[in-house]
Amino acid sequence: MSSDLLFPACQPRCVRQMAVGDGHILHVEECGPADGFPVVFLHGGPGGGCLPEHRRLFDPAIFRVVFIDQRGAGRSLPSGELEANTTPDLVADLDYVREALGISRWIVFGGSWGSLLALIYAQIYPESVQGLVMHGIFLGPHEEIVAYASGLGELLPRLEQGDPLAAFARRILGEQP
């Protein structure tokens, strides 16, 4: 993306940790005016999180952007936790945050895994969605997952490249850091 299409990065107006149950604590940041047009930003995965450069996608004079590091990802705790970390849990977390912040409806903005989460959220909570903005669409079928994992082949030892998805899972769930 051309840098002239990006806005200056704004500093978070509010940073909080929100307990959502099952031992999970979400890292949540808000940027822009409290009375701005609400947007929730859903990052990709696996294990990603919201980054400071994501703030440059939104005009800080117009949008109240809520950045949520999903369960087990980014700065949320516990880091890398997979227990009670399902798609329904993540969708419920989004609506919990929305209600806790007093937002009636928001634009749901997601990329990659965040685009799939945005679509599911919009289907379950249509009354809470003002609109959807998605990029790098990921719908989650087995073929897309294999293609994603295959793209990581250069990161895996040659012996593991025959089944990159299984190798990737072993690495995520293994004992080695």
Side-chain angles (χ1 to χ4, degrees):
M1 176 178 285
S2 172
S3 63
D4 59 338
L5 298 176
L6 298 175
F7 295 96
C10 63
Q11 292 302 310
R13 176 175 46 78
C14 182
V15 177
R16 54 174 67 87
Q17 302 292 317
M18 298 179 77
V20 290
D22 303 310
H24 286 275
I25 301 171
L26 302 182
H27 180 87
V28 179
E29 294 182 356
E30 286 188 77
C31 292
D35 63 348
F37 198 89
V39 177
V40 62
F41 180 89
L42 306 178
H43 63 77
C50 298
L51 302 173
E53 53 264 27
H54 293 145
R55 297 183 204 134
R56 297 189 65 206
L57 297 170
F58 305 94
D59 184 337
I62 296 174
F63 295 102
R64 174 188 182 184
V65 186
V66 180
F67 295 93
I68 303 171
D69 286 352
Q70 298 154 25
R71 289 183 183 216
R75 292 157 290 180
S76 289
L77 299 172
S79 180
E81 181 59 57
L82 299 177
E83 288 295 318
N85 189 348
T86 66
T87 302
D89 292 323
L90 299 175
V91 169
D93 291 349
L94 297 176
D95 213 55
Y96 175 82
V97 170
R98 181 192 61 76
E99 286 185 359
L101 298 180
I103 297 171
S104 60
R105 300 180 78 197
W106 54 10
I107 291 176
V108 183
F109 183 109
S112 187
W113 162 255
S115 70
L116 176 61
L117 196 57
L119 286 170
I120 296 168
Y121 179 81
Q123 289 176 344
I124 295 172
Y125 298 101
E127 69 284 352
S128 301
V129 177
Q130 182 73 32
L132 291 170
V133 177
M134 298 179 297
H135 64 95
I137 306 297
F138 175 80
L139 298 177
H142 181 73
E143 295 79 14
E144 273 188 309
I145 295 169
V146 170
Y148 173 79
S150 296
L152 299 173
E154 67 275 3
L155 299 176
L156 302 174
R158 295 243 179 246
L159 295 175
E160 294 182 309
Q161 287 185 4
D163 188 354
L165 187 56
F168 192 51
R170 278 194 304 277
R171 297 217 177 225
I172 289 175
L173 301 173
E175 297 297 319
Q176 295 288 10

XYZ file of all heavy atoms in Angstrom, residues 70-149:
611
model
N -6.656 -11.143 20.005
C -7.542 -12.267 20.286
C -6.934 -13.211 21.326
O -5.744 -13.133 21.637
C -7.828 -13.012 18.985
C -8.534 -12.146 17.955
C -8.287 -12.592 16.532
O -7.987 -13.753 16.276
N -8.411 -11.668 15.592
N -7.759 -14.094 21.858
C -7.304 -15.069 22.865
C -6.008 -15.751 22.412
O -5.903 -16.231 21.292
C -8.349 -16.156 23.087
C -9.575 -15.694 23.814
C -10.531 -16.843 24.049
N -11.741 -16.346 24.685
C -12.427 -17.009 25.599
N -12.052 -18.216 25.980
N -13.508 -16.483 26.116
N -5.035 -15.774 23.313
C -3.777 -16.468 23.058
C -2.848 -15.775 22.074
O -1.784 -16.293 21.773
N -3.227 -14.605 21.573
C -2.445 -13.935 20.529
C -1.955 -12.565 20.998
O -2.518 -11.964 21.910
C -3.304 -13.770 19.277
N -0.908 -12.097 20.336
C -0.387 -10.765 20.625
C -0.074 -10.583 22.092
O 0.606 -11.393 22.712
N -0.617 -9.532 22.687
C -0.370 -9.215 24.093
C -1.447 -9.741 25.026
O -1.439 -9.436 26.220
C -0.208 -7.705 24.250
C 1.084 -7.202 23.570
C 1.013 -5.767 23.232
N 0.045 -5.634 22.124
C -0.280 -4.500 21.556
N 0.241 -3.378 21.971
N -1.154 -4.452 20.565
N -2.378 -10.539 24.490
C -3.392 -11.151 25.352
C -2.769 -12.292 26.137
O -1.763 -12.871 25.727
C -4.578 -11.641 24.521
O -5.312 -10.531 24.037
N -3.396 -12.608 27.266
C -2.849 -13.621 28.172
C -3.862 -14.736 28.398
O -5.070 -14.475 28.369
C -2.494 -12.966 29.505
C -1.446 -11.861 29.420
C -1.326 -11.151 30.761
C -0.107 -12.423 28.985
N -3.409 -15.931 28.657
C -2.034 -16.407 28.545
C -1.619 -16.552 27.087
O -2.409 -16.982 26.235
C -2.055 -17.756 29.261
C -3.475 -18.200 29.253
C -4.326 -16.969 29.144
N -0.392 -16.179 26.823
C 0.150 -16.194 25.469
C 0.163 -17.609 24.902
O 0.610 -18.547 25.560
C 1.574 -15.633 25.492
O 2.108 -15.649 24.194
N -0.356 -17.752 23.697
C -0.331 -19.042 23.013
C -1.304 -20.077 23.542
O -1.297 -21.218 23.089
N -2.163 -19.701 24.479
C -3.082 -20.673 25.087
C -4.135 -21.123 24.090
O -4.774 -20.309 23.429
C -3.764 -20.055 26.308
C -4.716 -20.996 27.014
C -4.045 -22.265 27.508
O -3.079 -22.152 28.290
O -4.480 -23.352 27.107
N -4.310 -22.450 23.964
C -5.287 -23.017 23.041
C -6.544 -23.517 23.737
O -7.570 -23.715 23.089
C -4.652 -24.159 22.238
C -3.463 -23.763 21.362
C -2.875 -24.978 20.669
C -3.854 -22.695 20.366
N -6.475 -23.738 25.059
C -7.664 -24.172 25.800
C -8.697 -23.043 25.801
O -8.348 -21.883 25.995
C -7.301 -24.538 27.241
C -6.519 -25.822 27.370
C -7.318 -27.057 26.948
O -8.512 -27.151 27.299
O -6.744 -27.904 26.255
N -9.957 -23.410 25.614
C -11.059 -22.432 25.572
C -10.744 -21.322 24.590
O -11.000 -20.140 24.838
C -11.344 -21.878 26.968
N -10.163 -21.692 23.454
C -9.787 -20.728 22.425
C -10.339 -21.237 21.093
O -9.606 -21.715 20.241
C -8.263 -20.581 22.376
C -7.827 -19.439 21.482
O -8.607 -18.888 20.721
N -6.558 -19.095 21.577
N -11.656 -21.145 20.978
C -12.335 -21.623 19.774
C -12.942 -20.438 19.038
O -13.030 -19.331 19.586
C -13.466 -22.608 20.141
O -14.472 -21.877 20.862
C -12.947 -23.776 20.983
N -13.379 -20.684 17.824
C -14.029 -19.614 17.063
C -15.243 -19.054 17.809
O -15.372 -17.828 17.913
C -14.394 -20.115 15.655
O -13.196 -20.569 15.007
C -15.036 -19.013 14.830
N -16.130 -19.907 18.362
C -17.246 -19.327 19.141
C -16.774 -18.477 20.323
O -17.390 -17.451 20.639
C -18.036 -20.551 19.608
C -17.737 -21.603 18.577
C -16.303 -21.356 18.184
N -15.675 -18.870 20.979
C -15.127 -18.064 22.072
C -14.686 -16.694 21.568
O -14.970 -15.666 22.185
C -13.928 -18.757 22.727
C -14.282 -20.020 23.478
O -15.355 -20.067 24.106
O -13.472 -20.978 23.435
N -13.980 -16.673 20.435
C -13.476 -15.415 19.884
C -14.617 -14.489 19.475
O -14.568 -13.284 19.695
C -12.563 -15.688 18.686
C -11.310 -16.523 18.972
C -10.565 -16.809 17.676
C -10.414 -15.852 19.978
N -15.658 -15.065 18.869
C -16.815 -14.268 18.458
C -17.522 -13.697 19.687
O -17.880 -12.511 19.716
C -17.772 -15.116 17.588
C -19.099 -14.400 17.370
C -17.117 -15.441 16.248
N -17.706 -14.512 20.714
C -18.336 -14.033 21.947
C -17.495 -12.926 22.583
O -18.045 -11.953 23.116
C -18.543 -15.187 22.929
N -16.165 -13.051 22.524
C -15.286 -12.014 23.066
C -15.533 -10.671 22.385
O -15.543 -9.626 23.043
C -13.810 -12.392 22.892
C -13.375 -13.555 23.755
O -14.127 -13.977 24.658
O -12.255 -14.067 23.497
N -15.701 -10.697 21.071
C -15.918 -9.451 20.338
C -17.177 -8.744 20.835
O -17.170 -7.531 21.064
C -16.041 -9.722 18.838
C -14.814 -10.311 18.156
C -15.119 -10.623 16.701
C -13.628 -9.378 18.289
N -18.232 -9.508 21.004
C -19.459 -8.870 21.458
C -19.365 -8.437 22.914
O -19.944 -7.418 23.292
C -20.672 -9.771 21.214
C -21.886 -8.934 20.902
O -21.818 -8.113 19.950
O -22.893 -9.053 21.616
N -18.624 -9.173 23.717
C -18.392 -8.766 25.108
C -17.685 -7.403 25.144
O -18.085 -6.491 25.880
C -17.565 -9.817 25.844
C -17.183 -9.394 27.238
C -18.071 -9.545 28.299
C -15.945 -8.822 27.492
C -17.734 -9.140 29.576
C -15.590 -8.411 28.767
C -16.480 -8.567 29.803
O -16.144 -8.156 31.067
N -16.637 -7.262 24.329
C -15.889 -6.003 24.287
C -16.795 -4.882 23.787
O -16.810 -3.783 24.351
C -14.615 -6.142 23.419
C -13.973 -4.784 23.171
C -13.627 -7.100 24.062
N -17.557 -5.139 22.737
C -18.461 -4.126 22.191
C -19.412 -3.604 23.276
O -19.547 -2.397 23.473
C -19.267 -4.694 21.011
C -20.205 -3.669 20.374
C -21.196 -4.320 19.427
N -22.059 -5.285 20.080
C -23.099 -4.990 20.865
N -23.408 -3.735 21.118
N -23.835 -5.945 21.419
N -20.042 -4.529 23.984
C -20.982 -4.128 25.036
C -20.276 -3.397 26.176
O -20.778 -2.392 26.683
C -21.720 -5.352 25.571
C -22.767 -5.881 24.622
C -23.589 -7.018 25.212
O -23.342 -7.418 26.378
O -24.476 -7.508 24.505
N -19.112 -3.908 26.587
C -18.376 -3.295 27.695
C -17.960 -1.859 27.369
O -17.881 -1.015 28.262
C -17.146 -4.135 28.046
N -17.719 -1.577 26.089
C -17.305 -0.233 25.687
C -18.491 0.663 25.349
O -18.307 1.815 24.948
C -16.345 -0.319 24.493
C -15.029 -1.056 24.762
C -14.164 -1.067 23.509
C -14.285 -0.458 25.937
N -19.698 0.130 25.472
C -20.890 0.932 25.219
C -21.113 1.261 23.754
O -21.674 2.313 23.427
N -20.685 0.377 22.884
C -20.845 0.585 21.437
C -22.064 -0.209 20.967
O -22.141 -1.418 21.202
C -19.579 0.125 20.683
C -18.380 0.986 21.108
C -19.796 0.173 19.170
C -17.043 0.493 20.594
N -22.997 0.459 20.309
C -24.195 -0.255 19.850
C -23.934 -0.988 18.534
O -24.348 -2.139 18.373
C -25.380 0.703 19.710
O -25.086 1.714 18.771
N -23.262 -0.329 17.602
C -22.928 -0.948 16.309
C -21.557 -0.451 15.880
O -21.171 0.669 16.187
C -23.956 -0.564 15.246
C -25.368 -1.020 15.602
C -26.360 -0.621 14.550
N -26.223 -1.555 13.423
C -26.684 -1.321 12.217
N -27.291 -0.187 11.933
N -26.544 -2.213 11.264
N -20.842 -1.295 15.172
C -19.527 -0.904 14.693
C -19.251 -1.506 13.333
O -19.913 -2.445 12.897
C -18.435 -1.249 15.687
C -18.336 -2.687 16.187
C -18.992 -3.795 15.725
C -17.527 -3.150 17.268
N -18.640 -4.898 16.451
C -17.738 -4.544 17.401
C -16.636 -2.540 18.133
C -17.095 -5.321 18.362
C -15.997 -3.313 19.086
C -16.228 -4.684 19.204
N -18.260 -0.932 12.650
C -17.741 -1.529 11.426
C -16.759 -2.602 11.860
O -15.931 -2.373 12.758
C -17.033 -0.486 10.538
C -18.055 0.491 9.972
C -16.267 -1.169 9.407
C -17.445 1.610 9.169
N -16.852 -3.763 11.262
C -15.950 -4.867 11.583
C -14.935 -4.961 10.443
O -15.299 -5.206 9.293
C -16.728 -6.183 11.771
C -15.780 -7.297 12.164
C -17.816 -6.007 12.825
N -13.668 -4.738 10.772
C -12.572 -4.660 9.808
C -11.631 -5.830 10.080
O -11.059 -5.911 11.168
C -11.835 -3.324 10.002
C -10.718 -3.062 9.034
C -10.868 -2.093 8.060
C -9.518 -3.744 9.107
C -9.836 -1.811 7.174
C -8.487 -3.477 8.225
C -8.641 -2.505 7.250
N -11.492 -6.748 9.122
C -10.646 -7.914 9.354
C -9.847 -8.325 8.142
O -10.298 -8.178 7.009
N -8.673 -8.854 8.397
C -7.816 -9.370 7.343
C -7.358 -10.771 7.656
O -7.154 -11.123 8.817
N -7.243 -11.601 6.616
C -6.804 -12.981 6.747
C -7.745 -13.724 7.705
O -8.952 -13.748 7.479
C -5.339 -13.016 7.199
O -4.835 -14.326 7.181
N -7.217 -14.298 8.787
C -8.082 -14.967 9.768
C -9.134 -13.995 10.299
O -10.282 -14.355 10.545
C -7.243 -15.544 10.928
C -8.061 -15.851 12.134
C -8.107 -15.127 13.295
C -9.000 -16.916 12.293
N -9.008 -15.691 14.162
C -9.572 -16.794 13.581
C -9.424 -17.967 11.480
C -10.525 -17.664 14.065
C -10.376 -18.847 11.977
C -10.913 -18.693 13.250
N -8.763 -12.724 10.448
C -9.707 -11.718 10.916
C -10.895 -11.543 9.979
O -11.986 -11.188 10.423
N -10.716 -11.805 8.678
C -11.849 -11.703 7.752
C -12.852 -12.823 7.995
O -14.066 -12.600 7.934
C -11.367 -11.703 6.293
O -10.860 -12.967 5.896
N -12.356 -14.018 8.290
C -13.267 -15.128 8.608
C -14.003 -14.841 9.916
O -15.226 -15.015 10.001
C -12.491 -16.441 8.715
C -13.301 -17.672 9.127
C -14.409 -17.959 8.123
C -12.393 -18.878 9.281
N -13.285 -14.365 10.904
C -13.904 -14.022 12.186
C -14.951 -12.920 11.996
O -16.032 -12.965 12.587
C -12.817 -13.592 13.173
C -13.176 -13.541 14.640
C -13.698 -14.871 15.141
C -11.961 -13.112 15.446
N -14.660 -11.942 11.131
C -15.610 -10.864 10.851
C -16.896 -11.416 10.243
O -18.006 -11.012 10.634
C -14.981 -9.832 9.910
N -16.773 -12.324 9.289
C -17.957 -12.906 8.648
C -18.806 -13.691 9.638
O -20.040 -13.585 9.634
C -17.542 -13.814 7.488
C -17.063 -13.106 6.238
C -16.462 -14.115 5.259
C -18.198 -12.336 5.588
N -18.157 -14.467 10.481
C -18.898 -15.256 11.472
C -19.589 -14.331 12.472
O -20.759 -14.518 12.803
C -17.969 -16.262 12.173
C -17.441 -17.278 11.156
C -18.690 -16.967 13.316
C -16.305 -18.131 11.667
N -18.871 -13.317 12.942
C -19.450 -12.362 13.884
C -20.682 -11.691 13.262
O -21.723 -11.565 13.904
C -18.406 -11.315 14.283
C -18.944 -10.277 15.228
C -19.046 -10.530 16.587
C -19.383 -9.040 14.759
C -19.562 -9.582 17.466
C -19.900 -8.094 15.624
C -19.987 -8.366 16.979
O -20.510 -7.426 17.831
N -20.567 -11.278 11.996
C -21.677 -10.598 11.326
C -22.891 -11.516 11.164
O -24.030 -11.041 11.203
C -21.225 -10.073 9.969
N -22.663 -12.803 11.020
C -23.781 -13.738 10.906
C -24.472 -13.957 12.253
O -25.690 -14.092 12.313
C -23.301 -15.080 10.351
C -22.924 -15.014 8.893
C -22.367 -16.321 8.377
O -21.978 -17.202 9.145
N -22.316 -16.466 7.073
N -23.698 -13.987 13.319
C -24.263 -14.251 14.646
C -24.840 -12.985 15.282
O -25.861 -13.043 15.975
C -23.198 -14.903 15.552
C -22.839 -16.285 14.992
C -23.691 -15.013 16.992
C -21.675 -16.957 15.684
N -24.203 -11.841 15.049
C -24.625 -10.568 15.652
C -24.898 -9.509 14.580
O -24.307 -8.420 14.608
C -23.548 -10.051 16.608
C -23.262 -10.954 17.778
C -22.154 -11.788 17.793
C -24.116 -10.972 18.881
C -21.894 -12.622 18.874
C -23.865 -11.792 19.965
C -22.752 -12.614 19.953
O -22.497 -13.438 21.023
N -25.793 -9.766 13.630
C -26.016 -8.788 12.543
C -26.482 -7.419 13.046
O -26.162 -6.394 12.434
C -27.082 -9.452 11.665
C -27.765 -10.440 12.546
C -26.712 -10.902 13.533
N -27.191 -7.396 14.161
C -27.679 -6.125 14.694
C -26.557 -5.254 15.247
O -26.747 -4.059 15.473
C -28.735 -6.373 15.783
C -28.194 -6.979 17.067
C -27.861 -8.481 17.027
O -28.175 -9.158 16.033
O -27.268 -8.963 18.009
N -25.369 -5.830 15.445
C -24.231 -5.092 16.002
C -23.259 -4.624 14.931
O -22.272 -3.972 15.244
C -23.476 -5.981 17.002
O -24.336 -6.379 18.043
N -23.536 -4.973 13.673
C -22.598 -4.691 12.581
C -23.150 -3.591 11.682
O -24.203 -3.750 11.068
C -22.319 -5.971 11.760
C -21.395 -5.666 10.585
C -21.714 -7.048 12.655
N -22.418 -2.485 11.617
C -22.767 -1.374 10.721
C -22.288 -1.679 9.308
O -22.907 -1.266 8.344
C -22.106 -0.089 11.233
C -22.418 1.143 10.419
C -23.833 1.622 10.624
O -24.396 1.465 11.693
N -24.424 2.195 9.601
N -21.180 -2.420 9.194
C -20.630 -2.774 7.895
C -19.413 -3.661 8.076
O -18.910 -3.840 9.194
N -18.951 -4.238 6.972
C -17.765 -5.106 6.975
C -16.733 -4.536 6.008
O -17.085 -4.119 4.902
C -18.121 -6.518 6.513
C -18.995 -7.362 7.419
C -19.445 -8.621 6.693
C -18.233 -7.725 8.679
N -15.474 -4.550 6.434
C -14.351 -4.233 5.566
C -13.374 -5.384 5.731
O -12.929 -5.668 6.848
C -13.671 -2.897 5.946
C -12.462 -2.643 5.062
C -14.666 -1.745 5.880
N -13.079 -6.063 4.626
C -12.211 -7.234 4.722
C -11.156 -7.192 3.629
O -11.391 -6.664 2.539
C -13.045 -8.510 4.613
C -14.046 -8.634 5.747
S -15.065 -10.102 5.645
C -15.945 -9.834 4.143
N -10.011 -7.774 3.939
C -8.927 -7.897 2.955
C -8.225 -9.219 3.192
O -8.346 -9.814 4.266
C -7.949 -6.718 3.075
C -7.226 -6.681 4.382
N -5.983 -7.234 4.557
C -7.577 -6.172 5.584
C -5.595 -7.064 5.810
N -6.554 -6.419 6.452
N -7.514 -9.693 2.182
C -6.809 -10.968 2.330
C -7.754 -12.053 2.810
O -7.455 -12.749 3.773
N -8.880 -12.189 2.152
C -9.964 -13.057 2.607
C -9.471 -14.481 2.842
O -8.805 -15.082 2.004
C -11.118 -13.079 1.581
C -11.595 -11.668 1.252
C -12.266 -13.954 2.058
C -12.175 -10.897 2.400
N -9.811 -15.007 3.993
C -9.496 -16.382 4.390
C -10.785 -16.996 4.908
O -11.374 -16.478 5.852
C -8.425 -16.385 5.483
C -8.132 -17.750 6.037
C -7.310 -18.629 5.350
C -8.667 -18.160 7.245
C -7.028 -19.888 5.861
C -8.398 -19.410 7.765
C -7.573 -20.280 7.066
N -11.240 -18.079 4.257
C -12.500 -18.698 4.658
C -12.319 -19.999 5.419
O -13.293 -20.554 5.911
C -13.393 -18.907 3.431
C -13.778 -17.613 2.718
C -14.602 -17.914 1.479
C -14.517 -16.673 3.644
N -11.097 -20.496 5.521
C -10.803 -21.610 6.400
C -11.006 -23.028 5.909
O -10.899 -23.944 6.721
N -11.276 -23.275 4.602
C -11.385 -24.678 4.212
C -10.015 -25.358 4.267
O -8.971 -24.685 4.270
C -11.909 -24.630 2.779
C -11.449 -23.318 2.256
C -11.469 -22.382 3.451
N -10.031 -26.660 4.321
C -8.800 -27.439 4.444
C -7.775 -27.035 3.375
O -6.584 -26.915 3.670
C -9.118 -28.935 4.349
C -7.912 -29.803 4.500
N -7.285 -29.980 5.718
C -7.197 -30.519 3.594
C -6.235 -30.773 5.557
N -6.169 -31.112 4.277
N -8.233 -26.800 2.155
C -7.311 -26.456 1.063
C -6.572 -25.144 1.346
O -5.388 -25.021 1.058
C -8.065 -26.340 -0.270
C -8.663 -27.639 -0.760
C -9.980 -28.008 -0.063
O -10.599 -27.148 0.619
O -10.370 -29.180 -0.170
N -7.273 -24.152 1.912
C -6.626 -22.881 2.240
C -5.618 -23.050 3.363
O -4.551 -22.433 3.347
C -7.665 -21.834 2.659
C -8.264 -21.066 1.510
C -9.123 -19.920 2.000
O -10.002 -20.157 2.856
O -8.924 -18.803 1.527
N -5.954 -23.870 4.332
C -5.038 -24.107 5.450
C -3.778 -24.791 4.958
O -2.662 -24.401 5.312
C -5.732 -24.922 6.560
C -6.879 -24.095 7.155
C -4.746 -25.334 7.639
C -7.800 -24.870 8.061
N -3.922 -25.797 4.109
C -2.760 -26.500 3.552
C -1.927 -25.540 2.711
O -0.695 -25.523 2.800
C -3.206 -27.736 2.743
C -2.046 -28.317 1.959
C -3.803 -28.781 3.675
N -2.586 -24.708 1.889
C -1.852 -23.750 1.063
C -1.072 -22.769 1.936
O 0.080 -22.451 1.644
C -2.812 -23.002 0.141
N -1.680 -22.316 3.019
C -1.001 -21.403 3.936
C 0.220 -22.085 4.544
O 1.322 -21.544 4.540
C -1.957 -20.938 5.041
C -1.264 -20.135 6.120
C -0.959 -18.798 5.919
C -0.896 -20.715 7.333
C -0.316 -18.060 6.886
C -0.251 -19.982 8.302
C 0.037 -18.655 8.077
O 0.693 -17.941 9.040
N 0.011 -23.285 5.065
C 1.117 -24.009 5.699
C 2.199 -24.342 4.691
O 3.385 -24.311 5.014
C 0.595 -25.275 6.371
